[in-house]
Amino acid sequence: MDRIRIVGGNELRGIIPISGAKNAALPLMIASLLTDDTLTLENVPHLADVEQLIRILGNHGADISVNGRRERQGEGYSRTVHFTSRNIVDTTAPYELVSKMRASFWVIGPLLAREGKARVSLPGGCAIGTRPVDLFIEALAALGAKIEIDGGYVEATAPEGGLIGARYTFPKVSVGATHVMMMAATLARGTTVIGNAAREPEVQDLAKCLNAMGAKISGAGTSTVTIEGVDQLSGARHRVLPDRIETGTYAMAVAMTGGDVVLEGTDAALLDTALEAIRRSGAEITSTESGIRVVRNGGGIKPVDVVTDPFPGFPTDLQAQFMGLMTKSNGISHITETIFENRFMHVQELARLGAKISLSGQTAKIEGVERLRGAPVMATDLRASVSLVIAGLAAEGETTVSRVYHLDRGFERLEEKLTRCGAVVERVSD
Ligand code: EPZ
């Protein structure tokens, strides 16, 4: 199994191109199932999760080509991918495929809306909490679907004549359930109003793409999204928005190691809250013509408290990385996780590098230390694993991160991007 070997101590200097957002690409790819026409997505990152979803969509009958070539031939940075689901050949998403990635459960929305039925295995994904699907079930039931759970599968059937527009207010904000309800409602009869909708930029990006396909969605990016159902959707061409989590991750890496890096092709407006927290820690962040510049020259890292929250709050997907940064602050900071109940698995691994962190319920108390020392550590989930990479870059000596398949799910060419900025990072195979 591959490991990442890091020799810490170097500042980061240079340019890091930011890829298309994984968490936008996945729902956009799934939206292609809503039409028999071709949906072309530009700026699709080359990641294990994207490849896995390509396999899942193929199983439903999607024909997928990359830059005009067949899938799997395309290598390299973010690509243009064409998705055509002329016919849905199978409305079942099997356990073997869905258990590997939670977002694949979201195919339930388009399959149900287009075919009137879907049978989708209960999902898997990063082990960061219980992650139930009750909100999806309630939302689809509100649109008139009959839902049964049988043998580990959710079986959904639309009423005769298709789903029916409805008003539904989520009791809790859910990104995935908002995506699914929005997709399902595009083809429902009548108007749907989603209350307490997720406001994440990825929800806005999906709505923008669906509208380009002929949907009538307004309000995406606010807590109330209105969808007027249409009879059918057509193809479209859409560019996936930049990855705000990748952006924040590299910004935190620079804030931790020191240096001067331009994060190219991204937009500060996607992650204001996180950038503000990084600024307060002592880094300078400015918007440039091509993206964001992050500079930290000398000066210690100041302690900053953060609480994760749905957008526009501090993203849970940057919590582990920010904790990495805080391990070397010159004081005490607190990080509270409010989205997932089990998202502190990086704590014990950061401790192996010399971090001083104690947990009390959903809050971590981090006493900054002057030095971290390299050590072998283990990746436990996607964002936790990259926090270990960041900490390794700022630690003295050698750190090896094992189980890097977690990283490959969400960070395109991580070693290359960091190496180009002066870091010593390499992938080693056993
Ligand atoms: C999305 O997951 C992201 N995944 C996650 O990123 C991200 O951490 C999360 O949103 C929160 O921002 C993708 O976009 C592919 P939720 P999602 O439904 O949609 C609870 C990463 O590292 N909930 O907004 O699965 C749930 O347990 C990943 O890239 C229910 O209770 O998250 C959680 O506590 C990890 N019932 C909260 O809602 C439900 O039916 C928010 O989860 C659904 C969710």
Side-chain angles (χ1 to χ4, degrees), residues 249-263:
T249 299
Y250 289 126
M252 289 172 193
V254 181
M256 194 164 183
T257 60
D260 184 346
V261 170
V262 171
L263 305 172

Side-chain angles (χ1 to χ4, degrees), residues 225-252:
V225 180
T226 305
I227 305 118
E228 279 176 50
V230 296
D231 288 342
Q232 59 177 38
L233 296 178
S234 60
R237 193 177 183 96
H238 177 84
R239 186 172 173 79
V240 179
L241 92 173
D243 196 317
R244 64 193 166 100
I245 304 304
E246 192 194 24
T247 305
T249 299
Y250 289 126
M252 289 172 193

Side-chain angles (χ1 to χ4, degrees), residues 45-53 55 101 405 408-410:
H46 195 221
L47 298 169
D49 273 10
V50 166
E51 298 309 305
Q52 175 66 8
L53 186 56
R55 281 189 280 279
M101 178 178 55
Y405 53 85
D408 294 334
R409 294 185 56 188

